[in-house]
């Protein structure tokens, strides 16, 4: 056999306890954490049984109190009918017990922290939920910190993450469906949505895409995101991702679908619109007027981040007449003695900035701050004094880099389009830059996410469509949900 759980789907328990124990020991013969505990009721010799589980995956105290002690002290002499059903309904205190006879399902349960109870003479086993692995604990996500609002974040256990979402959406309308993905990992993937809001066709499409995944293992939600997203080669992502339960709850309330993957704190959401790249979690916990200013600044920073180097190179190389005379003279004087061309100088500076940014992100937090100060101030000033780079170029790259940090959700697109526009500008001047940015806009307009227009919220000119895009309107004015909902009415109009 290939070692996959599905290899055992046609194998059943034999009903003979010695043979069944030998079967599990053979399957897990090289797994030293498999435990097999033989049990017999003290009051009778009628019932011979065994527990099969993985050490470290179960809660030992719960296993003792809910399973072992009740079995050892039970009296089954007066029981009639199926002994397995009697044990399930009358003896065990566990929170969840499943009767299984298929070996593939039984193995999946054992590997997920359940204990299997085998009873001699019965071809049906009881998978008992006694999961007890340790978790990291609830803490605020490092990359999604807010000054106002909830401070809790997801952790790696999917069931706990689902409980955190359900605590915010206390309605029977909240639905969860699960699939197992990965030939060897059998990772649990939960699809969450509000039944009265989410489009049923979208839900089915998500499930069909996940079912088609054929891969050895799923270790993070990004595996799922890359495999099921639209436009896989686009620099703009068409799925959302977050580690915050409040964000997922808000997305579900807008009719979106969330995909929770066991083993990772990152939850992905569909559909995803272009305007969501510029939304901050904190926008909805502050005054709408203040949040709107930050929202508009992020749109501006996106175009500054990808455009400033290209426009500067194009103007100083091809269109010097567009500069005021005093500024043109100042730039020429400050470039005196610099050995590189503006284009080469710009490339070097962008690479240095990206190296510093990546190193700062990978270093411990305290060292990252020190690195930023040393790299940004000391090295930058020393390079200017040594006439290796010019002051105007340093200002241009610094402004472009800082603008890019304002929109972390578009960091990949900013990195590549900055170079695309730069090459367009250095070869064709402002005409090349205009062609490049026109191509980017046309590409954005052509995208879709789960059949939804990527720019749906921007292309319609009415106020209700723009209420949460370029700015954040007050809650009294946000009367409708996005257009892909089954029920677009969010609230009645305030009189």
């Amino acid at each position: 056999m290939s070692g996959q759980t599905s290899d055992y789907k046609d194998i059943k328990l034999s009903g003979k306890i010695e043979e069944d124990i030998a079967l599990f020991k053979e399957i897990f013969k090289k797994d030293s954490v498999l435990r097999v505990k033989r049990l017999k009721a003290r009051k009778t010799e009628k019932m011979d049984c065994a527990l099969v589980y993985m050490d470290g995956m179960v809660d030992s105290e719960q296993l003792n109190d809910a399973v072992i002690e009740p079995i050892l002290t039970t009296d089954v002499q007066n029981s009639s009918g199926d002994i397995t059903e009697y044990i399930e309904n009358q003896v065990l205190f566990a929170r969840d017990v499943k009767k299984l006879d298929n070996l593939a399902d039984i193995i999946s349960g054992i590997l997920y922290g359940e204990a299997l109870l085998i009873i001699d003479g019965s071809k049906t086993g009881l998978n008992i939920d006694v999961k007890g692995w340790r978790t990291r604990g609830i803490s605020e996500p490092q990359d999604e910190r807010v000054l106002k609002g909830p401070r809790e974040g997801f952790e790696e256990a999917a069931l706990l993450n689902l409980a955190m979402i359900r605590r915010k959406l206390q309605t029977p309308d909240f639905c969860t469906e699960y699939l197992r993905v990965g030939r060897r990992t059998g990772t649990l993937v939960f699809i969450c949505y509000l039944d009265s809001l989410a489009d049923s066709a979208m839900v089915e499409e998500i499930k069909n895409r996940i079912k088609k995944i054929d891969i050895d293992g799923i270790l993070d939600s990004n595996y799922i995101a890359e495999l099921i997203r639209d436009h896989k080669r686009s620099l703009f992502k068409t799925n959302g991702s977050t580690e915050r339960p409040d964000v997922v709850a808000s997305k579900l309330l807008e009719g979106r679908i969330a995909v929770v993957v066991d083993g990772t704190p990152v939850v992905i959401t569909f559909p995803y619109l272009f305007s969501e790249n510029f939304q901050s979690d904190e926008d909805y916990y502050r005054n709408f007027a203040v949040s709107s200013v930050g929202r508009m600044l992020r749109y501006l920073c996106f175009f500054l981040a990808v455009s400033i180097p290209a426009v500067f190179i194009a103007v100083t190389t091809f269109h010097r007449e567009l500069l005021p005379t005093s500024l043109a003279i100042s730039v020429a004087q400050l470039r005196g003695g610099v050995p590189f061309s503006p284009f080469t100088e710009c490339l070097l500076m962008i690479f240095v900035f990206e190296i510093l940014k990546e190193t700062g992100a990978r270093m411990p937090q305290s060292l990252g701050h020190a690195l930023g100060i040393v790299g940004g101030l000391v090295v930058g000033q020393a390079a200017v004094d040594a006439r290796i780079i010019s002051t105007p170029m340093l200002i241009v790259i610094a402004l472009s880099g800082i603008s890019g940090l304002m929109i972390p959700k578009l960091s990949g697109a900013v990195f590549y389009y900055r170079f695309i526009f730069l090459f367009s500008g250095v070869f064709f001047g402002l005409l090349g830059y205009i062609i490049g940015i026109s191509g980017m806009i046309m590409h954005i307009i052509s995208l879709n996410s789960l059949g939804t227009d990527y720019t749906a919220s921007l292309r319609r000119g009415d106020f209700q469509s723009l209420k949460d895009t370029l700015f954040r309107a007050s809650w009294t004015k946000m009367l409708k949900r996005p257009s892909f909902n089954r029920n677009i009415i969010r609230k009645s109009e305030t009189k």
Side-chain angles (χ1 to χ4, degrees):
M1 292 187 179
S2 62
Q4 301 173 27
T5 305
S6 59
D7 293 338
Y8 303 97
K9 62 182 179 181
D10 297 325
I11 302 177
K12 309 289 184 180
L13 293 176
S14 67
K16 301 176 181 179
I17 191 168
E18 298 297 342
E19 291 184 11
D20 291 336
I21 291 176
L23 175 62
F24 284 105
K25 287 184 176 180
E26 175 63 24
I27 293 172
F28 297 104
K29 60 184 177 182
K30 295 185 178 180
D31 196 332
S32 59
V33 300
L34 180 73
R35 298 290 181 264
V36 178
K37 183 175 181 62
R38 298 294 294 268
L39 300 171
K40 278 192 177 182
R42 293 175 181 173
K43 296 183 180 181
T44 180
E45 296 297 324
K46 182 179 179 180
M47 188 177 69
D48 187 11
C49 57
L51 279 172
V52 182
Y53 60 93
M54 290 292 179
D55 196 10
M57 297 286 287
V58 301
D59 184 337
S60 300
E61 184 175 347
Q62 186 181 359
L63 184 67
N64 289 330
D65 295 344
V67 181
I68 296 177
E69 185 175 349
I71 290 176
L72 293 178
T73 57
T74 190
D75 183 0
V76 298
Q77 291 186 9
N78 298 323
S79 65
S80 59
D82 186 2
I83 186 68
T84 303
E85 186 172 343
Y86 174 78
I87 294 296
E88 177 188 9
N89 298 325
Q90 303 293 328
V91 177
L92 299 178
F93 298 154
R95 55 196 172 196
D96 185 34
V97 181
K98 294 176 291 187
K99 294 174 66 175
L100 300 173
D101 61 357
N102 182 280
L103 201 60
D105 295 334
I106 291 173
I107 291 174
S108 294
I110 292 174
L111 295 175
Y112 196 56
E114 297 175 352
L116 170 67
L117 179 65
I118 307 171
I119 303 173
D120 193 26
S122 174
K123 295 185 178 181
T124 303
L126 296 177
N127 265 38
I128 308 166
D129 184 2
V130 286
K131 301 182 188 73
W133 58 77
R134 293 187 179 274
T135 58
R136 175 168 52 93
I138 298 173
S139 60
E140 185 175 10
Q142 293 292 324
D143 295 333
E144 296 181 76
R145 291 181 176 274
V146 294
L147 297 177
K148 290 185 177 181
R151 303 299 176 88
E152 60 184 3
F154 290 126
E155 57 176 36
E156 284 70 20
L159 294 178
L160 294 179
N161 294 342
L162 292 173
M164 294 172 72
I165 299 173
R166 188 175 291 280
R167 189 160 57 89
K168 295 185 179 296
L169 298 173
Q170 298 181 26
T171 168
D173 195 34
F174 178 59
C175 303
T176 59
E177 302 180 39
Y178 79 91
L179 301 168
R180 285 194 177 271
V181 186
R183 293 192 300 267
R184 296 184 183 277
T185 59
T187 306
L188 277 174
V189 177
F190 294 88
I191 302 167
C192 309
Y193 57 94
L194 292 178
D195 193 40
S196 63
L197 298 181
D199 188 328
S200 56
M202 287 187 178
V203 176
E204 287 302 315
E205 178 64 19
I206 284 284
K207 289 194 287 187
N208 290 335
R209 291 186 186 185
I210 294 176
K211 287 177 182 178
K212 291 178 181 178
I213 294 176
D214 184 18
I215 191 173
D216 267 0
I218 299 293
L219 303 178
D220 183 76
S221 58
N222 188 59
Y223 287 56
I224 300 286
E226 284 193 18
L227 291 168
I228 70 173
R229 61 174 289 200
D230 302 87
H231 311 284
K232 295 180 174 58
R233 293 181 177 83
S234 176
L235 296 174
F236 295 93
K237 63 178 186 176
T238 54
N239 64 273
S241 60
T242 182
E243 295 183 39
R244 297 177 59 89
D246 56 312
V247 174
V248 173
S250 69
K251 301 296 184 187
L252 296 180
L253 286 170
E254 291 188 338
R256 290 180 169 84
I257 304 163
V259 179
V260 181
V261 181
D262 191 35
T264 175
V266 180
V267 174
I268 53 181
T269 59
F270 293 91
Y272 186 76
L273 304 183
F274 179 68
S275 58
E276 293 181 63
N277 291 310
F278 304 95
Q279 296 174 355
S280 170
D281 306 334
E282 204 169 14
D283 285 352
Y284 306 94
Y285 305 131
R286 300 190 298 173
N287 180 273
F288 70 93
V290 177
S291 298
S292 296
V293 174
R295 182 79 57 84
M296 289 184 283
L297 281 175
R298 292 181 206 115
Y299 279 94
L300 176 62
C301 284
F302 172 64
F303 286 99
L304 289 178
V306 298
S307 301
I308 291 178
V311 172
F312 180 78
I313 293 296
V315 169
T316 55
T317 304
F318 292 97
H319 310 284
R320 295 187 184 91
E321 67 278 4
L322 296 178
L323 293 174
T325 303
S326 57
L327 180 59
I329 293 173
S330 176
V331 170
Q333 288 176 343
L334 291 171
R335 278 200 46 78
V338 176
F340 304 111
S341 67
F343 174 64
T344 305
E345 186 183 4
C346 186
L347 280 180
L348 290 174
M349 285 298 298
I350 291 175
F351 276 118
V352 169
F353 180 83
E354 292 296 331
I355 290 171
L356 288 173
K357 185 177 74 171
E358 188 69 14
T359 306
R362 297 290 175 265
M363 295 289 287
Q365 189 172 4
S366 57
L367 296 179
H369 293 317
L371 179 67
I373 295 172
V374 172
L377 297 179
V378 179
V379 176
Q381 185 61 44
V384 170
D385 292 341
R387 313 302 296 172
I388 297 174
I389 59 172
S390 62
T391 305
M393 187 61 71
L394 181 62
I395 295 172
V396 166
I397 300 303
L399 183 57
S400 174
I402 293 171
S403 298
L405 296 177
M406 280 280 287
I407 40 173
K409 295 178 183 178
L410 288 172
S411 58
V414 166
F415 176 81
Y416 284 102
Y417 276 106
R418 185 185 285 151
F419 282 108
I420 292 172
F421 294 167
L422 181 60
F423 279 96
S424 299
V426 77
F427 288 115
F428 304 105
L430 287 178
L431 176 62
Y433 163 73
I434 293 172
I435 292 173
I437 201 163
S438 299
M440 181 188 74
I441 293 173
M442 287 189 291
H443 172 66
I444 293 173
I445 292 173
S446 70
L447 298 177
N448 62 78
S449 176
L450 207 65
T452 302
D453 187 353
Y454 195 49
T455 56
S457 57
L458 294 169
R459 295 174 71 174
R460 298 173 60 187
D462 60 285
F463 173 74
Q464 282 300 319
S465 296
L466 296 174
K467 66 186 182 302
D468 198 21
T469 53
L470 296 175
F471 58 91
R472 205 275 277 183
S474 66
W475 285 114
T476 58
K477 300 297 182 183
M478 288 205 276
L479 309 178
K480 297 181 180 180
R481 299 184 180 91
S483 58
F484 52 78
N485 280 266
R486 290 171 60 184
N487 178 10
I488 66 171
I489 303 300
R490 187 194 303 270
K491 65 184 290 291
S492 60
E493 188 169 3
T494 303
K495 297 183 179 179

